[in-house]
Amino acid sequence: MPDRRFHLAAAASVGAGYAAFKSQNQSGLSCLIESTGGAIGSAFGGVLPDVIDPPIHSRQVPVSRGAVLWASLDSFQVALRRQAECHPLDAACSGNWISAAAHSLAELLLRLLAGFLAGFGAGYLSHVILGFRNAAAHSARRMKDRHGD
């Protein structure tokens, strides 16, 4: 069974990459911010299956249901990006620096959250896929040991 560090490393790579892919039509800085959010989100998603159903026994909760949730998050990501795109114009039109800073911060947080959602799902699925791969290898070893092959 892969340990938590392995799941975190795999999830962070997958989550940051998927968030970058999802934000490829954004500017370079926006893509970087979403990728960072993806890496953060994937760290949470990559360990969540162990929190929901600890691997001290065979999994009782079908952790693959996360794929359905992940698919539903795409519309939220689009909405967050649209909201983030409004804030630079609002910052430019604001009358003072406090308002401009607040709009810039709001844009940053919305982009981070959009990336977080993409990364969360990718990290969750990477954990599930690594778990299935490991379970299949373990079953094959047990069968081989039983039959003495």
Side-chain angles (χ1 to χ4, degrees), residues 85-135:
E85 290 166 3
C86 295
H87 285 283
L89 180 60
D90 292 341
C93 295
S94 66
N96 60 36
W97 69 270
I98 294 174
S99 179
H103 283 293
S104 297
L105 180 61
E107 178 191 10
L108 172 78
L109 293 175
L110 288 167
R111 292 195 187 282
L112 271 173
L113 186 56
F116 183 94
L117 292 177
F120 182 85
Y124 189 93
L125 286 181
S126 76
H127 185 108
V128 170
I129 289 168
L130 288 170
F132 284 149
R133 184 190 142 283
N134 187 57

Side-chain angles (χ1 to χ4, degrees), residues 11-99:
S13 302
V14 171
Y18 184 69
F21 171 76
K22 293 290 287 183
S23 65
Q24 65 187 350
N25 295 330
Q26 307 294 317
S27 70
L29 182 59
S30 297
C31 183
L32 178 65
I33 293 168
E34 285 196 33
S35 296
T36 303
I40 295 167
S42 64
F44 285 97
V47 297
L48 186 64
D50 286 342
V51 172
I52 293 172
D53 191 16
I56 56 175
H57 49 75
S58 63
R59 300 266 187 201
Q60 299 298 316
V61 177
V63 294
S64 59
R65 289 184 184 168
V68 175
L69 173 65
W70 186 30
S72 68
L73 294 177
D74 193 53
S75 61
F76 289 117
Q77 293 170 8
V78 172
L80 289 168
R81 280 190 201 102
R82 282 189 191 138
Q83 285 294 318
E85 290 166 3
C86 295
H87 285 283
L89 180 60
D90 292 341
C93 295
S94 66
N96 60 36
W97 69 270
I98 294 174
S99 179

